[in-house]
Amino acid sequence: MIIAIDGPAGAGKSTLARALARRLGYLYINTGAMYRAVAWKALQEGLSLEDEAQMGALAADSLIELKGAPDDLRVMIDGRDVTSEISLPEVGKAASIISTISTVRRALVARQREMGAMGGVVMEGRDIGSKVFPGASVKIFLDASSGDRSRRRHRQDTRSGVSGSLASTKAEIEERDRRDSTRLDSPLIKSEGAHYLDSSGLSIDEVVALALDLVVEAQSGRS
Ligand code: DC
């Protein structure tokens, strides 16, 4: 089975996707990490994020690998482990900017389809159910109130040593959501057939239980 999880920043996609992959013994693929890895390399090389041709070539020519168990996913670009570097807020913002470029998306979507081709994967992102695997067995659109999402992201950032106010995290998240939802190529949308889950006020265990119900329902429909 392919399980697709999409939704805005800070809705809890990674936590849910990791928990599902662990429970089901599936591969966990974080596609946001792939956009972040390309963005990190662009920043590192001092390239212009707005240069479409250069960004497209960068995405197509970089070797991006995701390795390890769901709870210890390592993100590699050209053989270098960039897992901690790509979690910085400025890399998230750069990832959102380059993800509006169609040639970048084309290169990464092709790679994502290869990675998921064998099935047995939980893939999270913004366009998994709408574009990468529209025929996924289970499609979830995970949402939460903007207050909940900002608090969650602010807590994560503080834990990883990034300082900043809750208000600035909220402003950043809102700007990123606006960019991700209004871009022309594969904007963030709830795709046809996706189940809408609102994680506001729910515990992780409650969200995982709701998602597992959907998986069981899909499995029984197939047998
Ligand atoms: O999930 P994330 O915050 O790590 O993603 C970083 C950015 O990458 C996000 O703001 C938009 C982009 N992205 C995308 O366009 N499509 C995806 N499938 C995943 C992420």
Side-chain angles (χ1 to χ4, degrees):
M1 290 198 4
I2 293 176
I3 301 174
I5 301 180
D6 293 301
K13 296 188 298 294
S14 300
T15 307
L16 173 62
R18 258 191 253 123
L20 286 179
R22 203 187 315 123
R23 292 282 285 266
L24 300 165
Y26 278 17
L27 206 64
Y28 163 52
I29 301 176
N30 177 346
T31 63
M34 300 170 73
Y35 288 91
R36 284 172 182 260
V38 174
W40 174 83
K41 190 171 165 185
L43 293 173
Q44 197 70 10
E45 295 187 0
L47 305 176
S48 160
L49 302 175
E50 325 281 338
D51 186 330
E52 302 198 355
Q54 215 168 29
M55 290 304 111
L58 194 70
D61 297 341
S62 300
L63 173 66
I64 300 168
E65 297 165 290
L66 301 178
K67 291 184 174 169
D71 289 312
D72 185 30
L73 190 77
R74 309 309 299 177
V75 184
M76 322 276 297
I77 186 158
D78 302 329
R80 175 172 174 167
D81 186 332
V82 291
T83 314
S84 59
E85 288 91 330
I86 63 168
S87 69
L88 295 172
E90 60 263 32
V91 180
K93 179 176 180 185
S96 171
I97 293 171
I98 63 153
S99 73
T100 60
I101 301 172
S102 291
T103 45
V104 170
R105 303 203 68 82
R106 215 174 298 139
L108 296 189
V109 167
R111 182 87 184 96
Q112 289 153 15
R113 287 186 176 143
E114 256 171 46
M115 289 172 153
M118 305 289 286
V121 296
V122 183
M123 195 176 278
E124 64 150 295
R126 302 289 187 290
D127 62 341
I128 312 306
S130 62
K131 175 85 183 199
V132 184
F133 286 113
S137 334
V138 180
K139 300 204 271 185
I140 295 172
F141 188 90
L142 188 65
D143 204 356
S145 67
S146 118
D148 267 32
R149 295 189 292 110
S150 310
R151 275 189 293 276
R152 192 175 290 147
R153 188 46 59 92
H154 187 251
R155 227 180 297 128
Q156 280 168 356
D157 286 350
T158 309
R159 234 181 277 133
S160 6
V162 175
S163 55
S165 66
L166 177 62
S168 69
T169 303
K170 188 161 191 275
E172 255 167 49
I173 275 201
E174 284 171 356
E175 185 200 351
R176 195 132 75 84
D177 288 345
R178 187 197 45 73
R179 195 185 300 109
D180 294 347
S181 316
T182 56
R183 66 178 177 226
L184 292 176
D185 191 344
S186 317
L188 168 67
I189 47 157
K190 177 186 163 301
S191 64
E192 211 188 313
H195 300 272
Y196 182 86
L197 270 186
D198 187 339
S199 67
S200 312
L202 297 181
S203 70
I204 294 168
D205 289 345
E206 287 169 325
V207 177
V208 173
L210 287 171
L212 277 173
D213 284 347
L214 297 172
V215 172
V216 169
E217 191 184 300
Q219 279 170 335
S220 62
R222 282 155 54 98
S223 55

